[in-house]
Amino acid sequence: MTEPSKVIHVRNVGHEISENDLLQLFQPFGVITKLVMLRAKNQALIQMQDTPAAVSALQFYGNVQPAIRGRNVYVQFSSHQELTTMYQNAQGRGDEPNRILLVTIHHMLYPITVEVLHQVFFPHGFVEKIVTFQKSAGFQALIQYQSRQSAVAARTALQGRNIYDGCCQLDIQFSNLDELQVNYNNERSRDFTNPNLPSEQKGRSPQPGYGDAGGVYGLQGTGARAVGFPQMANAAAIAAAFGGGLPPGISGTNDRCTVLVSNLNPDKIDEDKLFNLFSIYGNIVRIKLLRNKPDHALVQMGDGFQSELAVHFLKGAILFGKRLEEVTEEEIVNHLEEIGTIVNTKLFEMNGKKQALVLFETEEQATEALVCKHATSLGGSIIRISFSQLQGI
């Protein structure tokens, strides 16, 4: 049992959950002094003004399951007694005002360019510079205002809002950067104080230091061979083809990014071909062909929505004479969640075998899942379940 702390650790924080949602959950128990969103881990850290306030919150939510936007979140005392800057995002400082904003866009069904961002943010003050890039948390942008007051006004007005109806939600933090470096004026970066900058030179990364802003992704293939792929368009074109709404059969709520592809033709398939196929539905983070099962591959998409699109449109498709089969983390969850609450999952490959870690809320639920679901069928394959030695994921 972790000793009481004024810092609260919140898990299962989906991309649809905003800072304001968490503030509303904990503000009834006292003053919140710091809030850090760990988007890549679906977690958050909240620092109350004192330990008794945090104790009150956890005592209450020990009897009442906290939920935000229909999603259960899980709270516990953090092992940290105080939040410091080391727990902040590398480019985000949380609630400390700054003239540069770090913006993460969730459920991005339409392309977001510098021009779109400028239209959204310039009504709140003069925007000097914008840089966009892709990171593990999703599509992000750094927006530099001429004054801190303008940045504060923009964050207050726009946090949690959608750029388009029902999609492209803004998650805004203050950055810890003092000045943005913009090398090129193009659709991914712009210095509005220097219109004479050149456009991007072919083959060069547009904004080194901020993220992979549409340049070349290095993907680890079979063995030690590194494979470079030019990043292609995201899922926006697909959504646009359906009139801006979600395609039939797509929920838009999946937040698990990894897809297991089986029944590939090992004589004709490679990472390049898989990239060309899956990149139609979004950004590719990683592709790995399984060594001991050359007809299997793991494909990690940029976010859960993109992986859901890929599975929806590719499952059962014929490729090189083989019918593609796919298993996602979401399907694993759907197969097991009737047993109990699943806190986290991870799909991976080890010793040439496809495996998954599933963390239940209690040991009892995990035991029941083993008893009820071992040797059952999932995606045309028989799954085998055993206990892991890990205590967390």
Side-chain angles (χ1 to χ4, degrees):
M1 184 72 178
T2 305
E3 67 175 290
S5 164
K6 62 181 177 181
V7 181
I8 298 172
H9 181 203
V10 187
R11 295 174 288 118
N12 202 34
V13 180
H15 289 318
E16 74 278 8
I17 295 176
S18 68
E19 290 181 355
N20 287 337
D21 293 328
L22 288 169
L23 291 174
Q24 291 176 18
L25 195 67
F26 289 97
Q27 277 177 338
F29 303 96
V31 176
I32 297 172
T33 59
K34 292 182 182 179
L35 191 158
V36 178
M37 303 292 284
L38 306 175
R39 287 298 189 186
K41 297 182 178 180
N42 285 346
Q43 298 176 9
L45 294 171
I46 295 174
Q47 181 172 308
M48 308 297 291
Q49 189 173 37
D50 52 38
T51 300
V55 171
S56 298
L58 263 64
Q59 285 178 342
F60 179 82
Y61 289 126
N63 298 315
V64 177
Q65 172 61 57
I68 302 176
R69 299 180 184 267
R71 173 193 286 266
N72 288 343
V73 296
Y74 305 95
V75 298
Q76 63 189 48
F77 289 117
S78 171
S79 59
H80 307 293
Q81 294 297 316
E82 184 89 18
L83 288 183
T84 62
T85 54
M86 67 179 291
Y87 303 111
Q88 300 282 348
N89 183 282
Q91 293 165 348
R93 70 204 301 170
D95 288 325
E96 183 181 348
N98 185 29
R99 69 184 183 125
I100 301 178
L101 299 175
L102 173 63
V103 181
T104 304
I105 299 178
H106 306 299
H107 305 301
M108 198 174 80
L109 305 189
Y110 296 96
I112 301 298
T113 63
V114 165
E115 286 77 14
V116 172
L117 290 170
H118 189 257
Q119 290 178 21
V120 172
F121 284 89
F122 91 90
H124 304 282
F126 180 69
V127 176
E128 292 183 335
K129 301 175 183 179
I130 297 178
V131 176
T132 65
F133 50 94
Q134 187 78 29
K135 299 204 74 173
S136 59
F139 182 87
Q140 295 185 313
L142 288 164
I143 299 181
Q144 177 175 315
Y145 276 99
Q146 190 174 49
S147 69
R148 179 185 299 179
Q149 290 77 10
S150 295
V152 171
R155 185 176 186 269
T156 301
L158 298 174
Q159 170 62 20
R161 301 285 297 274
N162 293 331
I163 295 179
Y164 298 111
D165 187 24
C167 65
C168 301
Q169 184 186 43
L170 296 170
D171 184 1
I172 307 173
Q173 301 179 57
F174 293 111
S175 170
N176 64 4
L177 299 175
D178 296 320
E179 183 76 25
L180 293 184
Q181 176 187 352
V182 175
N183 298 329
Y184 307 105
N185 284 338
N186 53 34
E187 73 277 7
R188 295 183 297 276
S189 62
R190 188 73 52 83
D191 185 344
F192 294 95
T193 68
N194 186 3
N196 298 320
L197 283 177
S199 60
E200 177 187 343
Q201 295 182 21
K202 187 175 181 180
R204 293 189 61 183
S205 177
Q207 289 302 138
Y210 295 122
D212 295 310
V216 174
Y217 271 48
L219 304 185
Q220 186 65 41
T222 306
R225 183 171 67 94
V227 185
F229 294 115
Q231 193 66 358
M232 299 175 70
N234 57 34
I238 299 171
F242 286 84
L246 292 175
I250 296 292
S251 69
T253 60
N254 173 51
D255 59 1
R256 295 171 176 86
C257 307
T258 306
V259 178
L260 174 67
V261 188
S262 61
N263 203 35
L264 296 165
N265 187 328
D267 296 327
K268 294 187 177 181
I269 201 65
D270 56 32
E271 292 98 334
D272 298 64
K273 294 183 178 69
L274 282 173
F275 179 89
N276 291 338
L277 180 63
F278 278 84
S279 62
I280 297 173
Y281 305 101
N283 295 325
I284 308 298
V285 177
R286 186 176 296 107
I287 296 176
K288 184 172 185 179
L289 290 171
L290 306 192
R291 295 189 303 273
N292 295 348
K293 287 184 174 290
D295 63 335
H296 286 64
L298 289 172
V299 180
Q300 182 179 345
M301 306 293 290
D303 58 36
F305 174 70
Q306 296 171 12
S307 68
E308 187 178 13
L309 281 174
V311 171
H312 179 79
F313 288 106
L314 293 178
K315 192 166 187 176
I318 304 297
L319 178 65
F320 298 128
K322 297 281 190 175
R323 186 179 299 276
L324 298 182
E325 298 295 339
E326 295 166 86
V327 176
T328 66
E329 291 180 78
E330 186 73 12
E331 289 177 306
I332 295 172
V333 169
N334 292 338
H335 189 67
L336 299 177
E337 65 181 355
E338 65 185 67
I339 304 299
T341 302
I342 294 176
V343 177
N344 201 1
T345 61
K346 183 178 181 181
L347 193 63
F348 63 101
E349 180 264 342
M350 180 177 291
N351 298 326
K353 296 182 179 180
K354 50 187 182 295
Q355 301 184 29
L357 291 171
V358 180
L359 177 62
F360 282 90
E361 189 174 27
T362 66
E363 289 185 6
E364 180 183 4
Q365 294 172 356
T367 303
E368 292 178 0
L370 187 152
V371 171
C372 298
K373 296 297 185 178
H374 176 69
T376 57
S377 177
L378 175 63
S381 301
I382 301 299
I383 61 171
R384 302 191 180 279
I385 302 177
S386 61
F387 291 115
S388 170
Q389 295 181 348
L390 300 175
Q391 296 300 311
I393 302 178

